């Protein structure tokens, strides 16, 4: 798939940047709590896309890094002066020291990853998160019939539906001890 296609696809179907930033505000209290509990804060946004999350939290006391594999998205973010890496997330995470990241986010990403790769990613995320770090995942809800059928397949890069109970179990099996999910 060409780089421009997916940028155009996001622009048409994901929503404008202001709308996405507003939607991401539901995490503000959690993020502020994590920031307050760490001396140093590093955020990694895997599948950063157009960089709305990076731009929102690109503040003085937080180092924000985005990872994406689409050169079009990387260029878009770089034009906005955001720190982004054009790479496979697992390759980047494997190079990071243990307990070095306070928040890792994957917004609308895990449905693009096959199960085997998702397990490897979860293990690396657990390794690099600080003790009071947080992993935030968002994925289309299989409980919403319109989303789990018609809208899910609108994006040709979606690989699999994510069952929240199954994902919670997988996270718990990989040492995440405070797993919660919400319908938003």
């Amino acid at each position: 798939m060409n780089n421009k296609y997916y940028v155009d696809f996001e622009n048409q179907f994901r929503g404008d940047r202001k709308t996405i930033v507003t939607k991401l505000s539901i995490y503000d209290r959690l993020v502020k709590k994590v920031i307050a509990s760490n001396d140093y804060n590093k955020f990694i946004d895997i599948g950063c896309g157009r960089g709305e999350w990076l731009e929102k939290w690109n503040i003085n006391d937080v180092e924000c890094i985005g990872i994406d594999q689409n050169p079009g998205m990387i260029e878009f973010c770089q034009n906005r002066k955001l720190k982004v890496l054009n790479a496979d997330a697992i390759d980047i995470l494997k190079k990071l020291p243990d307990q070095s990241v306070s928040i890792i986010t994957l917004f609308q990403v895990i449905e693009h990853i096959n199960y085997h790769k998702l397990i490897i990613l979860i293990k690396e995320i657990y390794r690099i998160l600080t003790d009071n770090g947080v992993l935030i995942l968002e994925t289309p809800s299989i409980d919403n019939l319109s989303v789990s059928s018609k809208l899910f397949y609108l994006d040709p890069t979606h690989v699999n539906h994510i069952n929240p109970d199954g994902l919670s179990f997988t996270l718990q099996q990989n040492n995440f001890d405070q797993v919660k999910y919400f319908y938003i």
Side-chain angles (χ1 to χ4, degrees):
M1 177 175 307
N2 86 33
N3 305 330
K4 185 176 178 339
Y5 173 89
Y6 206 75
V7 173
D8 291 345
F9 180 86
E10 287 274 306
N11 289 337
Q12 178 153 346
F13 294 107
R14 183 156 163 78
D16 63 77
R17 295 178 58 74
K18 184 177 178 183
T19 300
I20 299 306
V21 169
T22 300
K23 286 181 180 180
L24 294 174
S25 294
I26 63 169
Y27 300 110
D28 287 358
R29 284 185 51 208
L30 175 62
V31 171
K32 289 175 183 175
K33 183 176 179 180
V34 171
I35 289 172
S37 66
N38 285 290
D39 294 331
Y40 169 76
N41 286 285
K42 178 187 271 187
F43 292 8
I44 295 181
D45 186 21
I46 298 172
C48 65
R50 300 175 301 185
E52 292 95 347
W53 181 258
L54 299 174
E55 202 165 306
K56 179 175 179 56
W57 292 106
N58 193 19
I59 56 177
N60 289 339
D61 297 332
V62 178
E63 178 186 1
C64 291
I65 301 167
I67 303 171
D68 208 289
Q69 291 186 297
N70 183 303
M73 296 294 188
I74 295 295
E75 181 181 354
F76 184 90
C77 289
Q78 288 173 336
N79 288 339
R80 299 184 81 82
K81 308 294 187 229
L82 300 171
K83 185 175 181 180
V84 289
L85 303 170
N86 185 1
D88 181 272
I90 293 171
D91 294 340
I92 297 297
L93 300 187
K94 284 183 175 183
K95 296 175 185 174
L96 297 174
D98 294 357
Q99 297 191 8
S100 60
V101 180
S102 45
I103 294 183
I104 298 177
T105 51
L106 292 95
F107 296 111
Q108 307 296 319
V109 172
I110 61 174
E111 65 275 9
H112 297 264
I113 303 171
N114 71 47
Y115 185 74
H116 174 72
K117 189 171 181 177
L118 181 59
I119 295 298
I120 295 168
L121 186 61
I122 287 170
K123 289 178 184 299
E124 285 302 316
I125 288 170
Y126 181 80
R127 182 186 64 76
I128 66 171
L129 271 177
T130 59
D131 286 337
N132 55 355
V134 173
L135 167 62
I136 301 172
L137 302 167
E138 264 192 20
T139 189
S141 173
I142 63 167
D143 292 319
N144 180 313
L145 292 178
S146 179
V147 170
S148 67
S149 57
K150 179 183 177 192
L151 294 176
F152 185 84
Y153 295 106
L154 177 63
D155 187 333
T157 65
H158 283 173
V159 175
N160 60 336
H161 292 281
I162 304 296
N163 182 297
D165 295 313
L167 179 61
S168 294
F169 178 80
T170 298
L171 290 166
Q172 290 165 344
Q173 289 293 303
N174 286 281
N175 302 312
F176 286 87
D177 58 359
Q178 295 185 37
V179 178
K180 296 178 177 62
Y181 68 84
F182 307 91
Y183 295 100
I184 54 174

